[in-house]
Amino acid sequence: MPWHSIRGHDKALDALRRGLTQGRLPHAFLFVGPEGIGKRSFANVFAQALLCDRVPETALDPCGACPSCLQVAEGTHPDVLRVARPEDKHELAIKQIRELCLDLGLKPASGRRKVAIIDDADDMNDEAANAFLKTLEEPPPGSVLILIGTSAETQLDTIISRCRVLRFDPLPEADLAQVLLEQSVTEDPAEAARLAHLAEGSVARARGLADATLDGFRRAMIDEISDPRGFDAPALAVRLATFSKEAGKESIDQRERARLLIGELARFFRGCLWQTAGAEPPTPDPADLRAIQTLAERLEPEDVFLLADRCLEADYHVGRKINLGLILDALMHDLGKVINHA
Ligand SMILES: [Zn+2]
């Protein structure tokens, strides 16, 4: 029953089931796919299946109602160990991994098994990853490790070779819109469809974009950049930095907001690419479409490609420890150089 709460990942579930019916349960998994599409929820239901009191684990179909299933859902099951990058940090610390390995070695409270969910596995530094290798190679009997990351490419080969890799696709738009309605992100089906389109398969992204203040900033930024008279790049960089900082006092929240907006710029420039190629840009937003048409008129396809590419580069840097103000300043400077001289 709890699988019903997971949308859009039938392919991953099928792969998991196939692996299970072909013999014994692998002891380590690496879940990879874009952020915010439900890998963590999937891992939770998997943990329920592994610990359910009523349904044997090979059925991979937890009841969702026994004490064990409820504890997993509430995050209180003593045999489900979770580690994630601390909110104010950029890395999973080696200390966290060492403690996890020690905990895994203790006897399970349920007498059955321990399940470890390692979130933000992308952010394990090499030192932490190496500390983890021995446990990954030979976990305590019965234990199952689930690593959650965005791509297998960011992991060390030594990690990948010890895990069953399960790939997750972005949610289809219709599924995402349904999730947004179910989670009351919005009550308006048209708005849910608009957010689902903008968010490109990510629930987390859609939640961010549902914020009216952010949506207002996004609108103003796109209108300014597409203004036929050009735009004031240094001033926009400052406003973008200030607005990002208003997301909260933690650097991680500020960077998250900056990434949402840079992602929106990248999507806007991709729309311009369609337009310069003579195709109808796939945007549900009439104001975006007007802005795309206005800007694309002045640009060559290779310029637009450069702009979109520059946004991806900035996004990569925001995910690292580089000063946010500097990244945004350099980004706007480069965008201005192309756009204002077109
Ligand atoms: Zn159960």
Side-chain angles (χ1 to χ4, degrees), residues 60-109:
L60 211 60
D61 203 10
C63 74
C66 70
S68 192
C69 281
L70 292 175
Q71 280 182 314
V72 175
E74 286 158 7
T76 56
H77 198 294
D79 290 333
V80 179
L81 312 173
R82 296 168 200 267
V83 287
R85 180 195 60 216
E87 286 214 352
D88 56 341
K89 296 274 163 33
H90 292 279
E91 286 179 340
L92 265 173
I94 185 165
K95 184 166 166 279
Q96 292 176 280
I97 295 295
R98 286 209 175 113
E99 282 172 6
L100 175 76
C101 295
L102 281 177
D103 278 357
L104 268 173
L106 302 175
K107 233 171 67 153

Coordinates of all heavy atoms in Angstrom, one line a residue, residues 60-109:
L60 N 8.2 -7.3 -1.0 CA 8.5 -5.9 -1.3 C 7.3 -5.1 -1.3 O 7.1 -4.2 -2.2 CB 9.3 -5.8 -2.6 CG 10.3 -4.6 -2.7 CD1 11.4 -4.7 -1.7 CD2 10.9 -4.6 -4.1
D61 N 6.4 -5.4 -0.4 CA 5.1 -4.7 -0.4 C 4.6 -4.5 1.1 O 3.8 -5.1 1.6 CB 4.1 -5.6 -1.1 CG 2.9 -4.8 -1.6 OD1 3.0 -3.6 -1.6 OD2 2.0 -5.4 -2.1
P62 N 5.3 -3.5 1.7 CA 5.0 -3.3 3.2 C 3.5 -2.9 3.4 O 2.9 -2.3 2.6 CB 5.9 -2.1 3.5 CG 6.1 -1.4 2.3 CD 6.1 -2.4 1.2
C63 N 3.0 -3.4 4.6 CA 1.6 -3.1 4.9 C 1.3 -1.7 5.2 O 0.2 -1.2 4.9 CB 1.2 -4.0 6.1 SG 1.8 -3.4 7.7
G64 N 2.3 -1.0 5.7 CA 2.1 0.5 6.0 C 1.4 0.8 7.3 O 1.2 1.9 7.6
A65 N 0.9 -0.3 8.0 CA 0.1 -0.1 9.1 C 0.6 -0.7 10.4 O 0.2 -0.4 11.5 CB -1.3 -0.6 8.8
C66 N 1.6 -1.7 10.3 CA 2.1 -2.3 11.5 C 3.0 -1.4 12.3 O 3.4 -0.3 11.7 CB 2.8 -3.6 11.1 SG 4.4 -3.3 10.3
P67 N 3.3 -1.7 13.5 CA 4.1 -0.7 14.3 C 5.4 -0.4 13.6 O 5.9 0.7 13.6 CB 4.4 -1.5 15.6 CG 3.2 -2.4 15.7 CD 2.8 -2.8 14.3
S68 N 6.0 -1.4 13.0 CA 7.3 -1.2 12.3 C 7.2 -0.2 11.2 O 8.0 0.7 11.0 CB 7.8 -2.6 11.9 OG 9.2 -2.5 11.5
C69 N 6.2 -0.5 10.3 CA 6.0 0.4 9.2 C 5.7 1.9 9.6 O 6.2 2.8 9.1 CB 4.8 -0.1 8.3 SG 5.2 -1.4 7.2
L70 N 4.9 2.0 10.7 CA 4.6 3.3 11.2 C 5.8 4.0 11.7 O 6.0 5.2 11.5 CB 3.5 3.2 12.3 CG 2.1 2.8 11.8 CD1 1.1 2.6 13.0 CD2 1.5 3.8 10.8
Q71 N 6.7 3.3 12.4 CA 7.9 3.9 13.0 C 8.8 4.3 11.9 O 9.4 5.4 12.0 CB 8.6 2.9 13.9 CG 8.0 2.7 15.3 CD 8.9 1.8 16.1 OE1 9.2 0.7 15.6 NE2 9.2 2.1 17.3
V72 N 8.9 3.5 10.8 CA 9.8 3.9 9.7 C 9.2 5.2 9.1 O 9.9 6.2 8.8 CB 9.8 2.9 8.6 CG1 10.6 3.4 7.4 CG2 10.5 1.6 9.1
A73 N 7.9 5.3 8.9 CA 7.3 6.5 8.3 C 7.5 7.7 9.2 O 7.7 8.8 8.7 CB 5.8 6.2 8.1
E74 N 7.5 7.5 10.5 CA 7.6 8.7 11.4 C 9.1 9.0 11.7 O 9.4 10.0 12.3 CB 7.0 8.3 12.8 CG 5.5 8.4 12.7 CD 4.8 7.6 13.9 OE1 5.6 7.1 14.8 OE2 3.6 7.4 13.9
G75 N 10.0 8.2 11.1 CA 11.4 8.4 11.3 C 11.9 8.0 12.7 O 12.9 8.6 13.2
T76 N 11.2 7.1 13.4 CA 11.5 6.8 14.8 C 11.9 5.3 14.9 O 12.2 4.8 16.0 CB 10.4 7.0 15.7 OG1 9.2 6.3 15.3 CG2 10.0 8.5 15.8
H77 N 12.0 4.6 13.8 CA 12.4 3.2 13.9 C 13.9 3.0 14.4 O 14.7 3.6 13.7 CB 12.2 2.4 12.6 CG 12.1 0.9 12.7 ND1 13.2 0.2 13.1 CD2 11.1 0.1 12.5 CE1 12.9 -1.1 13.1 NE2 11.6 -1.2 12.8
P78 N 14.1 2.3 15.4 CA 15.5 2.2 16.0 C 16.5 1.5 15.0 O 17.7 1.7 15.2 CB 15.3 1.4 17.3 CG 14.0 0.6 17.1 CD 13.1 1.5 16.3
D79 N 16.0 0.7 14.1 CA 16.9 0.0 13.2 C 17.1 0.8 11.8 O 17.7 0.2 10.9 CB 16.4 -1.4 12.9 CG 16.5 -2.2 14.2 OD1 17.4 -1.9 15.0 OD2 15.8 -3.2 14.4
V80 N 16.4 1.9 11.7 CA 16.7 2.7 10.5 C 17.6 3.9 10.8 O 17.2 4.8 11.6 CB 15.4 3.3 9.9 CG1 15.7 4.1 8.6 CG2 14.5 2.1 9.5
L81 N 18.8 3.8 10.3 CA 19.8 4.8 10.6 C 19.9 5.8 9.5 O 19.9 5.4 8.3 CB 21.2 4.2 10.8 CG 21.2 3.0 11.7 CD1 22.6 2.3 11.7 CD2 20.8 3.3 13.2
R82 N 19.9 7.1 9.8 CA 19.9 8.1 8.7 C 21.0 9.1 8.9 O 21.2 9.5 10.0 CB 18.6 8.9 8.7 CG 17.4 8.0 8.4 CD 16.1 8.9 8.7 NE 15.0 8.0 8.9 CZ 14.1 7.6 7.9 NH1 14.3 8.1 6.7 NH2 13.1 6.8 8.1
V83 N 21.7 9.3 7.9 CA 22.7 10.5 7.9 C 22.5 11.3 6.7 O 22.1 10.9 5.6 CB 24.2 10.1 7.9 CG1 24.6 9.5 9.3 CG2 24.5 9.1 6.8
A84 N 22.7 12.6 6.9 CA 22.5 13.6 5.8 C 23.5 14.7 6.1 O 24.0 14.9 7.2 CB 21.1 14.1 5.7
R85 N 23.8 15.5 5.1 CA 24.7 16.6 5.3 C 24.0 17.6 6.2 O 22.8 17.9 6.0 CB 24.9 17.3 3.9 CG 25.8 18.5 3.9 CD 25.7 19.3 2.7 NE 24.3 19.7 2.5 CZ 23.7 19.8 1.4 NH1 24.3 19.4 0.2 NH2 22.4 20.2 1.3
P86 N 24.7 18.1 7.2 CA 24.1 19.1 8.1 C 23.7 20.3 7.3 O 24.4 20.6 6.3 CB 25.2 19.4 9.1 CG 26.2 18.2 9.0 CD 26.1 17.7 7.6
E87 N 22.6 21.0 7.7 CA 22.1 22.0 6.9 C 23.1 23.2 6.6 O 23.0 23.9 5.6 CB 20.8 22.6 7.5 CG 19.7 21.7 7.3 CD 18.3 22.4 7.2 OE1 18.3 23.6 7.4 OE2 17.3 21.7 6.9
D88 N 24.0 23.4 7.6 CA 24.9 24.5 7.5 C 26.2 24.1 6.9 O 27.2 24.9 7.0 CB 25.1 25.2 8.8 CG 25.6 24.2 9.9 OD1 25.4 23.0 9.7 OD2 26.1 24.7 10.9
K89 N 26.3 22.9 6.4 CA 27.6 22.4 5.9 C 27.5 22.0 4.4 O 26.4 21.8 3.9 CB 28.0 21.1 6.7 CG 28.3 21.4 8.2 CD 29.7 21.8 8.4 CE 30.0 22.5 9.7 NZ 29.3 22.0 10.9
H90 N 28.7 21.9 3.8 CA 28.7 21.5 2.4 C 29.1 20.1 2.2 O 29.1 19.6 1.1 CB 29.7 22.4 1.6 CG 29.2 23.9 1.5 ND1 28.3 24.3 0.6 CD2 29.5 24.9 2.3 CE1 28.0 25.6 0.8 NE2 28.7 26.0 1.8
E91 N 29.5 19.4 3.3 CA 29.9 18.1 3.1 C 29.4 17.2 4.2 O 29.0 17.6 5.3 CB 31.5 18.0 3.2 CG 32.1 18.5 2.0 CD 33.7 18.5 2.1 OE1 34.2 18.4 3.2 OE2 34.3 18.5 1.1
L92 N 29.3 15.9 3.9 CA 29.0 14.9 5.0 C 30.3 14.7 5.7 O 31.3 14.3 5.0 CB 28.6 13.6 4.3 CG 27.1 13.3 4.2 CD1 26.9 12.0 3.3 CD2 26.4 13.1 5.5
A93 N 30.4 14.8 7.0 CA 31.6 14.7 7.7 C 32.0 13.3 7.9 O 31.2 12.4 8.0 CB 31.5 15.4 9.1
I94 N 33.3 13.0 8.0 CA 33.8 11.7 8.2 C 33.3 11.1 9.5 O 33.1 10.0 9.7 CB 35.4 11.7 8.1 CG1 35.9 10.3 8.2 CG2 36.0 12.6 9.2 CD1 37.4 10.1 7.8
K95 N 33.2 12.1 10.5 CA 32.7 11.7 11.8 C 31.3 11.0 11.7 O 31.0 10.0 12.4 CB 32.6 12.9 12.7 CG 32.2 12.7 14.2 CD 32.6 13.9 15.0 CE 31.9 13.8 16.4 NZ 30.5 14.3 16.3
Q96 N 30.4 11.6 10.9 CA 29.1 11.1 10.7 C 29.1 9.6 10.1 O 28.4 8.8 10.6 CB 28.3 11.9 9.7 CG 27.9 13.3 10.3 CD 27.2 14.1 9.2 OE1 27.8 14.7 8.3 NE2 25.9 14.2 9.3
I97 N 30.0 9.4 9.2 CA 30.2 8.1 8.5 C 30.7 7.1 9.5 O 30.2 6.0 9.6 CB 31.1 8.2 7.3 CG1 30.4 9.1 6.2 CG2 31.4 6.9 6.7 CD1 29.1 8.6 5.7
R98 N 31.7 7.5 10.3 CA 32.3 6.6 11.3 C 31.2 6.2 12.3 O 31.1 5.0 12.7 CB 33.5 7.3 12.0 CG 34.7 7.4 11.2 CD 36.0 7.4 12.0 NE 37.1 7.4 11.1 CZ 38.0 8.4 11.0 NH1 37.8 9.5 11.7 NH2 39.0 8.3 10.2
E99 N 30.4 7.2 12.8 CA 29.4 6.8 13.8 C 28.4 5.9 13.2 O 27.9 4.9 13.8 CB 28.7 8.1 14.3 CG 29.5 8.8 15.3 CD 29.0 10.2 15.7 OE1 27.8 10.5 15.2 OE2 29.7 10.9 16.4
L100 N 28.0 6.1 11.9 CA 27.1 5.3 11.2 C 27.6 3.8 11.2 O 26.9 2.9 11.5 CB 26.8 5.8 9.8 CG 25.9 4.9 9.0 CD1 24.4 5.1 9.4 CD2 26.0 5.2 7.5
C101 N 28.9 3.7 10.8 CA 29.4 2.3 10.7 C 29.4 1.6 12.0 O 29.2 0.4 12.1 CB 30.9 2.4 10.1 SG 30.9 3.1 8.4
L102 N 29.7 2.4 13.1 CA 29.7 1.8 14.5 C 28.3 1.3 14.8 O 28.1 0.2 15.3 CB 30.2 2.8 15.5 CG 31.7 3.0 15.6 CD1 32.0 4.1 16.6 CD2 32.4 1.7 16.0
D103 N 27.3 2.2 14.6 CA 25.9 1.9 14.8 C 25.4 0.6 14.1 O 24.7 -0.2 14.6 CB 25.0 3.0 14.4 CG 24.9 4.1 15.5 OD1 25.5 3.9 16.6 OD2 24.3 5.1 15.3
L104 N 25.9 0.5 12.8 CA 25.5 -0.6 12.0 C 26.0 -1.9 12.6 O 25.4 -3.0 12.4 CB 26.0 -0.4 10.6 CG 25.2 0.3 9.6 CD1 25.9 0.5 8.3 CD2 23.9 -0.5 9.3
G105 N 27.1 -1.8 13.3 CA 27.7 -3.0 13.9 C 26.9 -3.5 15.1 O 27.1 -4.7 15.5
L106 N 26.1 -2.7 15.7 CA 25.4 -3.1 16.9 C 24.2 -4.0 16.5 O 23.7 -4.0 15.4 CB 24.8 -1.9 17.7 CG 25.9 -0.9 18.1 CD1 25.3 0.3 18.7 CD2 26.9 -1.5 19.1
K107 N 23.7 -4.8 17.5 CA 22.6 -5.7 17.2 C 21.3 -4.9 16.9 O 21.0 -3.9 17.6 CB 22.4 -6.6 18.5 CG 22.4 -8.1 18.1 CD 22.4 -8.9 19.4 CE 21.1 -8.7 20.0 NZ 20.3 -9.5 20.8
P108 N 20.5 -5.4 15.9 CA 19.3 -4.7 15.6 C 18.3 -4.8 16.7 O 18.2 -5.9 17.3 CB 18.8 -5.4 14.3 CG 19.8 -6.4 13.9 CD 20.8 -6.5 15.0
A109 N 17.6 -3.7 17.1 CA 16.6 -3.7 18.1 C 15.5 -4.7 17.8 O 14.9 -5.3 18.7 CB 16.1 -2.3 18.3

